[in-house]
Amino acid sequence: MNTLSASKEILQKLIHVVGKQHVLTEDSDTRLYRQGRRYGSGEVFAVVAPGSLIEQWKVLQLAVEADFIVIMQAANTGLTGGSTPFGEYDRPVIVLSTRRLKGIQVIQDGKQVVCLPGATLDALEKELAGYNREPHSVIGSSCIGASVLGGVCNNSGGALVRRGPAYTELALYARVNEDGSLELINHLGIDLGQTPEEILLNLEHKKYNAVDVRQEEHRCASDQRYSHDVCQVDENTPARFNADPTRLFEASGSAGKVCVFAVRLDTFEKIPSQVFYVGTNSHDDLTEIRRFLLKDLPRVPIAGEYIHRVAYDIGAEFGKDTFMFIEKFGTAKVPAAFAMKDKVDGYLQKFGLRGLSDKVLQWVTKFLPSHLPKRMNEFRDLYEHHLVLRIEHQDAEQVTKFFTDYFKQHTTGDFFCCTDEEGRKAFLHRFAVAGAAIRYRDTHLSEVEDIVALDIALRRNDREWVETLPKEMDEKILHKLYYGHFLCHVFHQDYIVKKGVDPLAMEHEMWKLLDDRGAEYPAEHNVGHLYVAKPALKNHYQKLDPTNSFNVGIGYTSKLKNWK
């Protein structure tokens, strides 16, 4: 299939299935799909965007028949390049974009949902609002249009402490088996028919009844043990990480090594809550607070997010436009805004004007009023470490008493109970921080080489969670941004590296430091093309994809057919 005529033939077949406008081959059209949000890019034969599950199945059939590599891509919001091409391959590559497949089906009176490949967390949250229920994640990746299936396939998420990583054992997916044949596996626990075409049509058009939805006693639709695991604060191991073999099951943790058509997930009751804001100049204070919340509180807190002062500052300045856009237009508009910016950036880059759009946005937002609450900014001036907590209402009084008594004895910090607006803005600021390093880099191209972004899970009993880098390493860094899911001891550490420094070499040096600390990495963003897949993860990939046909090369694994 490497000849020009064969290439034209497969293109015509793809166009026949999905329509000409949904088969992209021009660089300017494929750019948005070929490069990761933060890392990774490569060449593709085509980007194909099916408009139905049957079309997706037919595209897969064509790709397998032509011996093409398929990279599954949902919202492309990942941070490690795990859903984009990277480097050279031994076969042509098709990116199969699922953005058009947006279906969400509420089942079991709202207690569960079935999500199709393009369903976003934002859309799911809105769909469940009428049932007074929530999806697995309600803020964070949902702010940038992340897909539900992307979270499951990468075991990502975890901002909500009781729910842990995205996980299900109920999924409908296709794989290329050992003899090279494409097969559809229905483990949704819903009777949809026998043939692939029948199953996919019945699912997409919801041609099934309540009696067809089985109660799968031996399979679960969410992580059933995480809220217990995270509370074991004296254990010498991390609470969660991507290579944890106990959380790798078929589609869950598959990282695109199969083609997922749907997942069935639990939903969660909305719980009235109170947000607390804590500031301190002693990391020991936050350690004691964490131990109290996870050991002594009757119910596990809903969320607990950490921000270091440097991350607070860079997020406030370089994440301001993201924050204000979401405030004004909501999360549903964010993907379209990113797509538009990407097109503008691609055009400007042709004229050697990389970073211009970021500089313009930064200049505009500089003159807008402060977007963060006054009390938060006052705490920023007073304290180095910040913790934002969401506590169930019925536990708020006990937490208030603990904080009041604690900070009477420890004058290194303080707290306040947030108003609804303060609480909403505090959590939104935490997640705006996550993209701020990228904006800083793109507006300081003459000073910054790149970003080293680590995603780590520390041991649950680790009291020395604040990092101290060797002097020779510290001198190569302009800014260190520390933030993360504090109660889980999962941290995101972004290092803005000085011009001339090799970011990849620095990252590998940092891995050694993390190994010495007993940390696991990556914790929730998955390996992509940045991290090495550890044995359990690699074995999971090989079992799912024995011919190495899907998302080839992730985790520094083989890029050759049949894993040669």
Side-chain angles (χ1 to χ4, degrees), residues 13 54 95 119 133 165 199 201 308 347 375 457 459 506 526:
K13 288 181 178 180
I54 286 290
V95 169
R133 297 185 75 84
I199 291 169
L201 280 171
H308 185 270
Y347 179 80
R375 288 202 287 181
R459 296 167 298 168
M506 174 172 278
N526 221 335

Side-chain angles (χ1 to χ4, degrees), residues 164-198:
Y167 182 80
T168 186
E169 296 172 358
L170 301 168
L172 173 67
Y173 63 95
R175 69 190 290 264
V176 177
N177 61 24
E178 288 78 359
D179 63 11
S181 301
L182 185 67
E183 60 179 346
L184 186 69
I185 297 173
N186 181 11
H187 287 165
L188 273 180
I190 303 175
D191 295 325
L192 294 165
Q194 299 302 316
T195 67
E197 291 78 11
E198 186 181 10

Side-chain angles (χ1 to χ4, degrees), residues 66-131:
D67 197 22
F68 277 29
I69 290 167
V70 177
I71 297 178
M72 301 301 304
Q73 185 182 101
N76 192 18
T77 59
L79 300 177
T80 60
S83 59
T84 52
F86 188 83
E88 296 183 356
Y89 296 88
D90 64 339
R91 291 153 285 168
V93 175
I94 286 178
V95 169
L96 202 162
S97 171
T98 64
R99 288 185 179 217
R100 298 174 64 206
L101 307 174
K102 297 184 181 297
I104 295 171
Q105 300 171 9
V106 180
I107 60 174
Q108 308 284 62
D109 299 319
K111 293 178 182 177
Q112 288 189 329
V113 289
V114 174
C115 292
L116 302 192
T120 64
L121 285 167
D122 177 74
L124 181 55
E125 184 178 353
K126 291 173 180 173
E127 185 75 25
L128 291 173
Y131 297 85

Side-chain angles (χ1 to χ4, degrees), residues 331-360:
T331 57
K333 302 289 185 183
V334 173
F338 272 118
M340 176 63 72
K341 181 179 179 298
D342 185 81
K343 282 192 174 295
V344 171
D345 287 343
Y347 179 80
L348 292 173
Q349 196 164 326
K350 290 180 181 179
F351 298 95
L353 297 173
R354 183 187 168 201
L356 180 60
S357 69
D358 291 282
K359 288 179 180 178
V360 170

Side-chain angles (χ1 to χ4, degrees), residues 1-12:
M1 291 302 296
N2 291 326
T3 66
L4 181 61
S5 60
S7 296
K8 287 182 178 179
E9 182 183 348
I10 186 69
L11 273 179
Q12 288 305 311

